[in-house]
PDB file of all heavy atoms in Angstrom:
ATOM      1  N   GLU D 180      39.644 -38.101  30.192  1.00  0.00           N
ATOM      2  CA  GLU D 180      39.323 -37.184  31.311  1.00  0.00           C
ATOM      3  C   GLU D 180      40.278 -37.393  32.489  1.00  0.00           C
ATOM      4  O   GLU D 180      40.028 -36.893  33.585  1.00  0.00           O
ATOM      5  CB  GLU D 180      37.859 -37.310  31.747  1.00  0.00           C
ATOM      6  CG  GLU D 180      36.894 -36.429  30.996  1.00  0.00           C
ATOM      7  CD  GLU D 180      37.101 -36.425  29.505  1.00  0.00           C
ATOM      8  OE1 GLU D 180      36.764 -37.419  28.831  1.00  0.00           O
ATOM      9  OE2 GLU D 180      37.640 -35.446  29.003  1.00  0.00           O
ATOM     10  N   THR D 181      41.363 -38.142  32.261  1.00  0.00           N
ATOM     11  CA  THR D 181      42.395 -38.295  33.304  1.00  0.00           C
ATOM     12  C   THR D 181      43.741 -37.844  32.752  1.00  0.00           C
ATOM     13  O   THR D 181      44.337 -36.908  33.274  1.00  0.00           O
ATOM     14  CB  THR D 181      42.448 -39.744  33.809  1.00  0.00           C
ATOM     15  OG1 THR D 181      41.157 -40.094  34.347  1.00  0.00           O
ATOM     16  CG2 THR D 181      43.497 -39.911  34.896  1.00  0.00           C
ATOM     17  N   LEU D 182      44.220 -38.508  31.687  1.00  0.00           N
ATOM     18  CA  LEU D 182      45.454 -38.035  31.028  1.00  0.00           C
ATOM     19  C   LEU D 182      45.126 -37.110  29.859  1.00  0.00           C
ATOM     20  O   LEU D 182      45.846 -36.156  29.595  1.00  0.00           O
ATOM     21  CB  LEU D 182      46.285 -39.217  30.518  1.00  0.00           C
ATOM     22  CG  LEU D 182      46.878 -40.149  31.572  1.00  0.00           C
ATOM     23  CD1 LEU D 182      47.751 -41.209  30.890  1.00  0.00           C
ATOM     24  CD2 LEU D 182      47.682 -39.408  32.621  1.00  0.00           C
ATOM     25  N   LEU D 183      44.060 -37.442  29.160  1.00  0.00           N
ATOM     26  CA  LEU D 183      43.630 -36.641  28.008  1.00  0.00           C
ATOM     27  C   LEU D 183      42.284 -35.981  28.316  1.00  0.00           C
ATOM     28  O   LEU D 183      41.452 -36.572  28.998  1.00  0.00           O
ATOM     29  CB  LEU D 183      43.469 -37.533  26.770  1.00  0.00           C
ATOM     30  CG  LEU D 183      44.706 -38.292  26.272  1.00  0.00           C
ATOM     31  CD1 LEU D 183      44.326 -39.153  25.056  1.00  0.00           C
ATOM     32  CD2 LEU D 183      45.846 -37.333  25.916  1.00  0.00           C
ATOM     33  N   THR D 184      42.096 -34.809  27.789  1.00  0.00           N
ATOM     34  CA  THR D 184      40.807 -34.140  27.979  1.00  0.00           C
ATOM     35  C   THR D 184      40.017 -34.105  26.663  1.00  0.00           C
ATOM     36  O   THR D 184      40.534 -33.680  25.619  1.00  0.00           O
ATOM     37  CB  THR D 184      40.956 -32.700  28.519  1.00  0.00           C
ATOM     38  OG1 THR D 184      39.686 -32.048  28.422  1.00  0.00           O
ATOM     39  CG2 THR D 184      41.993 -31.886  27.760  1.00  0.00           C
ATOM     40  N   ASN D 185      38.790 -34.562  26.752  1.00  0.00           N
ATOM     41  CA  ASN D 185      37.881 -34.519  25.615  1.00  0.00           C
ATOM     42  C   ASN D 185      36.901 -33.365  25.754  1.00  0.00           C
ATOM     43  O   ASN D 185      35.782 -33.412  25.225  1.00  0.00           O
ATOM     44  CB  ASN D 185      37.129 -35.845  25.512  1.00  0.00           C
ATOM     45  CG  ASN D 185      38.081 -37.017  25.340  1.00  0.00           C
ATOM     46  OD1 ASN D 185      38.845 -37.070  24.381  1.00  0.00           O
ATOM     47  ND2 ASN D 185      38.081 -37.938  26.301  1.00  0.00           N
ATOM     48  N   ILE D 186      37.309 -32.330  26.464  1.00  0.00           N
ATOM     49  CA  ILE D 186      36.404 -31.214  26.721  1.00  0.00           C
ATOM     50  C   ILE D 186      35.917 -30.605  25.407  1.00  0.00           C
ATOM     51  O   ILE D 186      34.777 -30.119  25.327  1.00  0.00           O
ATOM     52  CB  ILE D 186      37.071 -30.157  27.634  1.00  0.00           C
ATOM     53  CG1 ILE D 186      36.056 -29.104  28.093  1.00  0.00           C
ATOM     54  CG2 ILE D 186      38.252 -29.497  26.948  1.00  0.00           C
ATOM     55  CD1 ILE D 186      35.084 -29.596  29.103  1.00  0.00           C
ATOM     56  N   GLY D 187      36.755 -30.665  24.378  1.00  0.00           N
ATOM     57  CA  GLY D 187      36.343 -30.129  23.072  1.00  0.00           C
ATOM     58  C   GLY D 187      35.102 -30.840  22.549  1.00  0.00           C
ATOM     59  O   GLY D 187      34.183 -30.219  22.032  1.00  0.00           O
ATOM     60  N   TYR D 188      35.081 -32.156  22.754  1.00  0.00           N
ATOM     61  CA  TYR D 188      33.891 -32.934  22.361  1.00  0.00           C
ATOM     62  C   TYR D 188      32.701 -32.579  23.245  1.00  0.00           C
ATOM     63  O   TYR D 188      31.601 -32.305  22.759  1.00  0.00           O
ATOM     64  CB  TYR D 188      34.200 -34.424  22.455  1.00  0.00           C
ATOM     65  CG  TYR D 188      32.964 -35.279  22.234  1.00  0.00           C
ATOM     66  CD1 TYR D 188      32.536 -35.591  20.955  1.00  0.00           C
ATOM     67  CD2 TYR D 188      32.225 -35.732  23.328  1.00  0.00           C
ATOM     68  CE1 TYR D 188      31.389 -36.353  20.752  1.00  0.00           C
ATOM     69  CE2 TYR D 188      31.072 -36.483  23.129  1.00  0.00           C
ATOM     70  CZ  TYR D 188      30.671 -36.791  21.844  1.00  0.00           C
ATOM     71  OH  TYR D 188      29.533 -37.515  21.656  1.00  0.00           O
ATOM     72  N   TYR D 189      32.927 -32.599  24.550  1.00  0.00           N
ATOM     73  CA  TYR D 189      31.791 -32.399  25.468  1.00  0.00           C
ATOM     74  C   TYR D 189      31.237 -30.989  25.396  1.00  0.00           C
ATOM     75  O   TYR D 189      30.049 -30.770  25.593  1.00  0.00           O
ATOM     76  CB  TYR D 189      32.193 -32.757  26.904  1.00  0.00           C
ATOM     77  CG  TYR D 189      32.341 -34.251  27.084  1.00  0.00           C
ATOM     78  CD1 TYR D 189      33.587 -34.849  27.212  1.00  0.00           C
ATOM     79  CD2 TYR D 189      31.212 -35.063  27.071  1.00  0.00           C
ATOM     80  CE1 TYR D 189      33.706 -36.221  27.340  1.00  0.00           C
ATOM     81  CE2 TYR D 189      31.318 -36.437  27.188  1.00  0.00           C
ATOM     82  CZ  TYR D 189      32.568 -37.026  27.329  1.00  0.00           C
ATOM     83  OH  TYR D 189      32.677 -38.373  27.438  1.00  0.00           O
ATOM     84  N   ARG D 190      32.119 -30.025  25.111  1.00  0.00           N
ATOM     85  CA  ARG D 190      31.617 -28.642  24.978  1.00  0.00           C
ATOM     86  C   ARG D 190      30.607 -28.562  23.834  1.00  0.00           C
ATOM     87  O   ARG D 190      29.612 -27.851  23.934  1.00  0.00           O
ATOM     88  CB  ARG D 190      32.787 -27.691  24.739  1.00  0.00           C
ATOM     89  CG  ARG D 190      32.349 -26.245  24.611  1.00  0.00           C
ATOM     90  CD  ARG D 190      33.536 -25.307  24.505  1.00  0.00           C
ATOM     91  NE  ARG D 190      34.225 -25.151  25.766  1.00  0.00           N
ATOM     92  CZ  ARG D 190      35.494 -25.473  25.996  1.00  0.00           C
ATOM     93  NH1 ARG D 190      36.222 -25.979  25.028  1.00  0.00           N
ATOM     94  NH2 ARG D 190      36.020 -25.296  27.175  1.00  0.00           N
ATOM     95  N   ALA D 191      30.882 -29.344  22.783  1.00  0.00           N
ATOM     96  CA  ALA D 191      29.967 -29.334  21.628  1.00  0.00           C
ATOM     97  C   ALA D 191      28.741 -30.212  21.864  1.00  0.00           C
ATOM     98  O   ALA D 191      27.849 -30.271  21.017  1.00  0.00           O
ATOM     99  CB  ALA D 191      30.717 -29.814  20.387  1.00  0.00           C
TER     100      ALA D 191
END
Side-chain angles (χ1 to χ4, degrees):
Chain D
E180 272 45 74
T181 301
L182 294 184
L183 300 178
T184 169
N185 301 300
I186 189 72
Y188 173 84
Y189 287 107
R190 181 175 287 119

